Amino acid sequence: AGVAFALLRYGSSLPEADLSHRLLLNPLIAAQCGIALAALLFALITVWATRKSFDSLLADVDAASGEARNETALLAMGEIDAPASLLSYAAWLLPVSGFIGTVLGIAAAIGPLENLGAPTGGVNASAIKEVLDGLEFAFDTTRTGLLTVAPVMAASIFAERQFDRQKASFHARTT
């Protein structure tokens, strides 16, 4: 968590308390972090579970004969492929959610621009704060989406390599 916070804080001139408060109150960032954590846990559990069930699936393939053997191997390979697609989806969703946050934040920042001029001829400080709040939301969600995708993508690649090795074993048994 400390490393993630340090990465999120990188490049920010805000004191840590202000940044952490702002990040903790952003629902999109909470969703991004939840997706990243769930994907990482899912990758670990899936790789562990497929290693545990791999011998059982191989025994099923070995017990079958003829065309049934090929069908059993194809079904087993499908069981191995399914988790990889979920990990790829999570790796895609994180930066996309960051870009959605960018659009939402910039849209929120554009609205108060027309109110920048104060009726007295000065600058409307509350409108400037609204613009800055929208830009903070935009940049915070983009940064979080891009930073959280790296470990999820690494876990996805690791898991896919494990799954590919297992599929190669099934393929070798059926040819």
Side-chain angles (χ1 to χ4, degrees), residues 122-146:
V123 177
N124 183 346
S126 68
I128 289 176
K129 179 163 177 11
E130 287 181 52
V131 169
L132 293 176
D133 287 346
L135 292 174
E136 285 176 348
F137 183 90
F139 294 129
D140 289 346
T141 55
T142 301
R143 178 175 42 196
T144 304
L146 294 174

Side-chain angles (χ1 to χ4, degrees), residues 57 71-85 167 170:
L57 292 171
E71 289 177 20
T72 305
L74 285 174
L75 288 173
M77 285 190 275
E79 287 182 35
I80 291 171
D81 270 338
S85 61
K167 289 189 299 186
F170 284 115

Side-chain angles (χ1 to χ4, degrees), residues 79-96:
E79 287 182 35
I80 291 171
D81 270 338
S85 61
L86 288 172
L87 289 171
S88 295
Y89 178 71
W92 169 85
L93 185 60
L94 289 167
V96 168

